[in-house]
């Protein structure tokens, strides 16, 4: 299908100021492809930029197209593209690194200081009709994998990276703090990696109910009136044979949740910090240090998309139940409000750009 003459895009101009703007259709560079966008999921970071205008040091200072969880169809290839052709449906890994620095050469390109990452200021995202991207960061989909599933490879890749960083393997006992989309895909990834006992916590009973349906072995409802020690004990009691988790994946970013992660994990275990919360938090660091609980950071992912795609295409991981709401590109404002409020039990809100 030939591109139309306009490129409707969801552009963030400032706090709570998102506008639908007709932009020019970009031309792909030699190593790029032009994509007709299909499905784009709304991430918590998209909502945060809309409502707060920043995440940590990333500040929206100029108009920026939102969206980075995406799948689309190739409509034009750059002159030197060899891995894709017109008509291919692809999942889009949103971060394109410099390929030259020590982090890129060492395989940890998620730490590249010169990475282009969709919808992270100042880089435009792909919540639009047409978008260009580096061809080698686009992954061709098997015929049976949908563009919605392609969009969900982005959060699933976060879960894969977190699970790898945590060292989850066959027989791991895993605590996941936070039953939002990232917590749920981390649960799916951990199960696929061999975890045999998974407990998930959240402040929302509805989200915990969803987590149980998606495969959690046990859940713990977090109350503001519960002490850290009481919650840690509740986690232990909920797990098989009342054994502490040896791995915790913290996905909320909340200070209280990070404390719980450190206290609940058994001595010699691992805590990975996935959730993005306050820049500084008060945590029981001496407790963790004297019990040799390892703390590991997680930032995006590297070399995870191929495995995430294999997980989905093989049927080992089913991400489709995460999608609770669907909107068109013209309904983006309503879609973001649904994602922001969690109305109707929203987990993952998907926008169809076609």
């Amino acid at each position: 299908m030939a591109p139309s003459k306009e490129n409707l895009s969801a552009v963030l101009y400032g706090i709570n100021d998102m506008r639908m703007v007709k932009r020019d259709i970009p031309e792909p560079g030699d190593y790029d492809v032009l994509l007709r966008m299909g499905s784009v999921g709304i991430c918590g970071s998209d909502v945060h930029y809309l409502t707060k205008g920043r995440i940590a040091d990333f500040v929206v200072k100029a108009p920026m197209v939102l969206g980075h969880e995406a799948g689309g169809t190739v409509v034009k290839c750059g002159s030197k593209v060899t891995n894709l052709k017109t008509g291919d449906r692809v999942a889009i890994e949103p971060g394109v690194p410099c390929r030259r620095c020590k982090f890129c050469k060492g395989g940890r390109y998620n730490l590249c200081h010169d990475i282009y990452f969709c919808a992270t200021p100042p880089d435009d995202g792909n919540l639009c009709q047409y978008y260009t991207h580096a061809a080698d960061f686009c992954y061709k989909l098997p015929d049976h994998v949908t563009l919605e599933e392609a969009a969900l490879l982005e959060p699933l890749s976060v879960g894969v990276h977190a699970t790898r960083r945590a060292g989850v393997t066959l027989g791991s006992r895993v605590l996941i703090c936070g039953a939002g989309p990232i917590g749920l895909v981390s649960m799916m990834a951990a199960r696929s990696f061999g975890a045999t006992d998974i407990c998930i916590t959240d402040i929302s009973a509805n989200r915990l109910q969803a987590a149980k349906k998606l495969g959690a072995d046990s859940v713990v409802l977090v109350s503001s009136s519960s002490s850290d020690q009481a919650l840690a004990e509740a986690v232990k009691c909920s797990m098989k044979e009342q054994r502490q988790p040896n791995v915790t994946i913290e996905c909320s970013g909340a200070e209280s949740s990070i404390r719980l992660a450190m206290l609940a994990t058994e001595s010699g275990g691992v805590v990975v910090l996935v959730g993005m919360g306050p820049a500084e938090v008060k945590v029981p660091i001496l407790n963790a240090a004297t019990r040799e609980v390892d703390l590991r950071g997680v930032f995006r992912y590297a070399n995870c998309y191929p495995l995430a795609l294999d997980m989905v295409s093989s049927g080992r991981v089913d991400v489709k139940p995460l999608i609770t709401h669907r909107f068109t590109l013209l309904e983006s404002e309503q879609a973001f409000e649904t994602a922001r409020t969690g109305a109707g039990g929203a987990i993952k809100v998907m926008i169809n750009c076609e």
Side-chain angles (χ1 to χ4, degrees):
M1 181 185 296
S4 67
K5 295 183 179 180
E6 65 181 42
N7 182 22
L8 188 64
S9 307
V11 183
L12 179 64
Y13 281 80
I15 295 176
N16 294 322
D17 184 9
M18 182 181 70
R19 310 174 199 174
M20 302 308 298
V21 178
K22 293 180 180 179
R23 290 187 160 192
D24 293 335
I25 295 175
E27 278 293 317
D30 287 345
Y31 294 95
D32 301 334
V33 288
L34 174 65
L35 301 165
R36 183 177 74 250
M37 297 307 301
S39 298
V40 179
I42 298 179
C43 175
S45 66
D46 293 315
V47 175
H48 206 82
Y49 281 126
L50 175 63
T51 58
K52 304 297 182 183
R54 67 182 300 160
I55 296 177
D57 294 332
F58 298 107
V59 182
V60 178
K61 298 179 180 178
M64 178 186 77
V65 179
L66 291 165
H68 63 271
E69 302 178 357
T73 303
V74 177
V75 294
K76 187 175 183 180
C77 293
S79 61
K80 296 182 179 180
V81 172
T82 59
N83 63 313
L84 296 170
K85 66 181 185 303
T86 299
D88 284 344
R89 299 176 313 117
V90 300
I92 305 164
E93 181 172 353
V96 180
C98 77
R99 301 179 174 87
R100 296 178 296 276
C101 70
K102 68 176 183 179
F103 297 113
C104 288
K105 290 180 177 180
R108 302 183 71 179
Y109 60 81
N110 57 314
L111 303 179
C112 173
H113 295 304
D114 194 27
I115 194 170
Y116 182 102
F117 200 93
C118 293
T120 297
D123 302 331
D124 279 332
N126 44 36
L127 185 50
C128 52
Q129 290 176 299
Y130 293 95
Y131 169 75
T132 58
H133 201 70
D136 58 326
F137 280 82
C138 294
Y139 302 88
K140 184 178 177 180
L141 302 176
D143 292 341
H144 66 282
V145 176
T146 68
L147 289 177
E148 287 189 337
E149 289 174 297
L152 288 171
L153 293 187
E154 200 281 335
L156 180 58
S157 291
V158 176
V160 168
H161 187 56
T163 302
R164 283 175 166 173
R165 290 278 289 159
V168 174
T169 187
L170 184 63
S172 291
R173 304 181 307 280
V174 179
L175 167 64
I176 294 174
C177 299
I182 295 298
L184 294 175
V185 292
S186 295
M187 178 184 71
M188 293 174 173
R191 183 71 77 195
S192 188
F193 272 57
T196 52
D197 190 6
I198 301 177
C199 173
I200 190 164
T201 66
D202 203 275
I203 60 174
S204 167
N206 289 335
R207 288 202 166 187
L208 291 179
Q209 185 177 12
K212 284 287 286 184
K213 290 180 180 178
L214 291 169
D217 294 295
S218 60
V219 299
V220 172
L221 181 64
V222 175
S223 169
S224 58
S225 61
S226 300
S227 69
D228 295 339
Q229 292 293 347
L231 285 171
E233 185 63 22
V235 167
K236 178 181 176 182
C237 290
S238 73
M239 302 196 77
K240 296 174 184 176
E241 301 178 5
Q242 297 191 6
R243 299 177 66 189
Q244 289 176 283
N246 60 334
V247 169
T248 296
I249 303 175
E250 203 298 303
C251 299
S252 74
E255 180 177 300
S256 59
S257 188
I258 298 172
R259 289 200 306 268
L260 172 61
M262 295 166 70
L263 293 171
T265 305
E266 75 171 3
S267 298
V270 176
V271 173
V272 292
L273 303 175
V274 183
M276 302 288 276
E280 296 183 2
V281 294
K282 184 178 180 180
V283 296
I285 195 67
L286 187 60
N287 176 287
T290 56
R291 296 191 301 112
E292 294 193 354
V293 173
D294 290 349
L295 301 179
R296 300 175 185 174
V298 167
F299 186 59
R300 297 171 178 161
Y301 37 76
N303 302 304
C304 292
Y305 255 72
L307 178 56
L309 178 55
D310 285 345
M311 286 177 167
V312 170
S313 64
S314 67
R316 190 173 183 86
V317 171
D318 183 9
V319 292
K320 295 188 293 294
L322 296 173
I323 303 171
T324 54
H325 294 74
R326 294 175 172 86
F327 295 90
T328 66
L329 184 58
L330 285 171
E331 297 171 324
S332 291
E333 184 175 346
Q334 183 181 352
F336 269 81
E337 184 64 11
T338 300
R340 184 187 70 82
T341 61
I347 297 176
K348 179 55 65 177
V349 176
M350 194 68 64
I351 296 177
N352 185 346
C353 298
E354 294 182 315

